[in-house]
């Protein structure tokens, strides 16, 4: 694992229109704003604004980072920005990178808002092999986590079914 400066990995961009809550009409492209609720997705809007491509990462002024596997628009007034670049090869790599950025939300707050100018010199830890970013490790790691989660859900479901059968057999 090596440390990489964010601005050496990503290109940061912001929206071009000050989208508002009133612009959400259920049509068009997803609208991303700051916050954790629904991963910052506020709804859909067809108001004309810059569209950011899928396979990017958004970061808000609280340092909340989310991988986006869909096109979206962003508010300009809440310091949400989009990160793109070569390192985001696919969803698994994007999710790994977002997890490496999770510490950002412990740094920033309403009184000390995170902006790209503040964050760009920060570092994240990324796995490497022979001096190069190890994308296969990131992909395999996320797949392994997904398998563990699925296994846990299956175990939970089996226990629930068994408990239901026990209750039913008593009646």
């Amino acid at each position: 694992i090596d440390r990489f400066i964010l601005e050496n990995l990503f290109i940061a961009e912001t929206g071009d229109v000050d989208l508002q809550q009133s612009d959400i009409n259920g049509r068009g492209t997803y609208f991303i704003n700051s916050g954790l609720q629904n991963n910052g997705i506020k709804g859909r809007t067809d108001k004309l604004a810059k569209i950011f491509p899928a396979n990017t990462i958004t970061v808000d002024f609280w340092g909340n980072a989310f991988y986006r596997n869909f096109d979206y628009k962003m508010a300009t007034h809440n310091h949400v920005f989009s990160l793109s670049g070569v390192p985001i090869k696919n969803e698994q790599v994007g999710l790994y990178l977002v997890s490496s950025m999770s510490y950002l939300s412990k740094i920033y707050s309403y009184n000390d808002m995170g902006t790209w100018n503040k964050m760009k010199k920060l570092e994240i830890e990324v796995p490497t092999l022979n001096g190069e970013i190890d994308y296969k490790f990131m992909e395999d790691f996320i797949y392994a986590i997904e398998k563990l989660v699925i296994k846990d859900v299956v175990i939970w479901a089996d226990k629930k079914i068994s408990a239901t059968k026990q209750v039913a057999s008593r009646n």
Side-chain angles (χ1 to χ4, degrees):
I1 292 197
D2 283 322
R3 294 171 130 345
F4 288 84
I5 296 171
L6 289 175
E7 73 177 338
N8 292 340
L9 291 176
F10 302 110
I11 298 164
E13 296 179 81
T14 58
D16 62 347
V17 173
D18 193 17
L19 296 171
Q20 302 289 325
Q21 188 74 25
S22 60
D23 296 320
I24 297 172
N25 58 15
R27 299 185 303 271
T29 309
Y30 284 110
F31 167 41
I32 304 299
N33 207 332
S34 57
L36 291 173
Q37 186 175 6
N38 201 26
N39 296 337
I41 301 168
K42 301 303 178 193
R44 289 182 178 268
T45 181
D46 58 3
K47 182 170 181 175
L48 190 61
K50 179 179 183 176
I51 296 177
F52 294 85
N55 201 41
T56 54
I57 295 170
T58 60
V59 183
D60 70 15
F61 66 84
W62 286 305
N64 300 311
F66 296 101
Y67 172 78
R68 306 294 179 182
N69 63 355
F70 52 85
D71 294 348
Y72 56 93
K73 298 175 182 179
M74 294 188 305
T76 58
H77 65 280
N78 277 344
H79 304 288
V80 182
F81 54 90
S82 174
L83 298 179
S84 61
V86 173
I88 309 172
K89 297 290 186 193
N90 53 45
E91 183 172 11
Q92 289 70 36
V93 171
L95 292 170
Y96 189 97
L97 293 169
V98 164
S99 70
S100 294
M101 293 180 205
S102 63
Y103 79 96
L104 296 174
S105 65
K106 294 169 181 49
I107 296 174
Y108 299 105
S109 66
Y110 190 77
N111 292 327
D112 183 22
M113 294 180 188
T115 62
W116 180 242
N117 282 338
K118 291 180 182 179
M119 290 183 201
K120 67 184 179 181
K121 297 294 184 194
L122 297 177
E123 298 177 333
I124 60 171
E125 292 183 345
V126 177
T128 56
L129 181 64
N130 300 323
E132 298 291 322
I133 294 175
D134 190 351
Y135 296 104
K136 180 158 178 21
F137 177 88
M138 289 189 271
E139 291 171 4
D140 291 347
F141 184 85
I142 294 299
Y143 282 132
I145 296 295
E146 288 173 347
K147 286 180 181 180
L148 288 172
V149 169
I150 290 168
K151 178 183 171 192
D152 287 346
V153 169
V154 169
I155 290 169
W156 172 81
D158 287 346
K159 287 180 181 177
K160 184 176 177 183
I161 290 167
S162 176
T164 303
K165 285 180 181 178
Q166 286 178 357
V167 169
S169 69
R170 291 181 190 157
N171 294 332

